[in-house]
Amino acid sequence: MNAPHRQWQPIRLSPPSQGESALEEPPLDVEQLQDRVASAVGDVPALLAIAQQAGRSAPKPGDGRTARLWELLASVAAVDVAAARVMEPHLDAGAILSQAGTPESFTGSWGVYAAEAPGTRLAAEAGPGEAEPTGKAAGVQLNGSKPWCSLAQFVDHAVVTAHTETGGRAAFAVDLRAAGVTCDVPEWTSRGLREIPSGTVHFDRVPAVPLGGDGWYFQRPGFAWGGMGVAACWLGGAVALGRHFEAALLRGARSQREPDQVALAALGEVDRILTSTLQYLTRAADAVDAAGAEREPAMDGAHGQPSTGGGAGLDRSAVGGWSEALRVRGTVAAAVERVQLLVSQNLGPGPLAFDERYGKGMADLSLYVRQHHATRDDAQLGVLTLKGEHAW
């Protein structure tokens, strides 16, 4: 007897292995999670509650189950891109806190705010109290403004980056319910990610907890790994569009409207793009896990990693580093944009005008993928390539 049809199918980067469930404590039921997300679309507090529950058992990048983490993010995005936009930073914050040696602080809901913008600046300054024997201030306070803070009016805590008195930038954990925190509610005109406006948060002498020192946030391997997790969300949104396209052609065939060669060619290209990109993401996840297994407790090197060793057949400096993140993000972004073009050209204006889920997915994904900076990111990768950070 065939298994009952489910509207939401998980995205798999690799087939389950024997005994895999023993690695998950407790196991995370992705199908059940998808059903919960589907019932909460557009309800930010409900989606944050789902993210908090998932965060209790979701894998962390580099822990040996990175593919499972990215499957989770992609599968949520396949149901609703905005839901993945809620879940991804919460899980990323949990990974950051764990990497900083403070996993016990991962309670409540979290955001991650590291963007900069002209006219805004957030500074970390010595707080009141006597200096410690090391010469460091007894406390840290945040003063100034931070742009592009998604869901700041909803989440309890955030990892934020701020300029330090030594001229660098560092990460801090901060309570967004503390006195001195105010959140602007922006006039969000975009049709994409409408339930997730990103405004500016203002800090007035708000206590914060340092996470690592100057540069640690950007140099740790997890910075690159988190960037690849965002790409997994983008790809999940593209898979949803591919599935929508396939379903539309099947419905047409049942109505005696067989797809023509143009539609079939487009579907074949969508399949080729999605399959190859999923396979690439699987290899990247394996490389992240290899790098995580080899990583020394003390992080150093250009990307916060030891300078020797190897993994997954790649140059060690490329495994898990920012150069690999740029490759993954650029490859996935190009795949997403091509799938969007192929599907929209072939399905025409009808579903954009009358199919709420399809239209929302297109709009949400178009905005979300713009976190990739296209040729500017390729220029960064070109600089790293000239330094020898490649496998060819």
Side-chain angles (χ1 to χ4, degrees), residues 243-268:
R243 290 172 174 175
H244 189 102
F245 185 27
E246 178 191 26
L249 295 185
L250 288 172
R251 286 195 302 271
R254 287 194 293 270
S255 302
Q256 310 304 315
R257 289 170 43 225
E258 294 290 338
D260 60 16
Q261 289 293 96
V262 173
L264 290 172
L267 182 62

Side-chain angles (χ1 to χ4, degrees), residues 41-63:
V41 169
D43 185 341
V44 170
L47 291 173
L48 281 170
I50 293 170
Q52 288 181 65
Q53 183 179 31
R56 298 188 187 106
S57 56
K60 291 181 173 56
D63 74 352

Side-chain angles (χ1 to χ4, degrees), residues 234-245 266-267 269-275 277 331-347 358 362 365:
W234 300 340
L235 188 55
V239 168
L241 295 178
R243 290 172 174 175
H244 189 102
F245 185 27
L267 182 62
E269 185 176 350
V270 167
D271 170 73
R272 175 165 50 80
I273 290 170
L274 293 178
T275 299
T277 310
T331 298
V332 172
V336 166
E337 291 169 349
R338 182 60 180 167
V339 167
Q340 284 186 296
L341 179 64
L342 288 166
V343 173
S344 62
Q345 283 182 337
N346 278 272
L347 294 185
Y358 171 84
M362 274 287 191
L365 188 57

Side-chain angles (χ1 to χ4, degrees), residues 45-114:
L47 291 173
L48 281 170
I50 293 170
Q52 288 181 65
Q53 183 179 31
R56 298 188 187 106
S57 56
K60 291 181 173 56
D63 74 352
R65 298 174 297 159
T66 302
R68 297 294 171 253
L69 170 63
W70 293 353
E71 286 176 352
L72 164 65
L73 292 172
S75 296
V76 170
V79 177
D80 182 58
V81 171
R85 183 66 184 83
V86 172
M87 182 171 292
E88 184 278 326
H90 177 77
L91 298 185
D92 188 37
I96 294 166
L97 294 170
S98 180
Q99 292 156 13
T102 60
E104 69 283 352
S105 7
F106 189 47
T107 59
S109 56
W110 286 76
V112 179
Y113 308 136

Side-chain angles (χ1 to χ4, degrees), residues 15 56 90 160 176 220-221 244 246 248 255 296 314 352-353 355 364 373 381:
R56 298 188 187 106
H90 177 77
V160 301
L176 293 180
R220 65 194 168 87
H244 189 102
E246 178 191 26
S255 302
E296 298 294 333
L314 296 178
L352 285 173
D355 188 319
D364 288 347
H373 301 127
L381 182 57

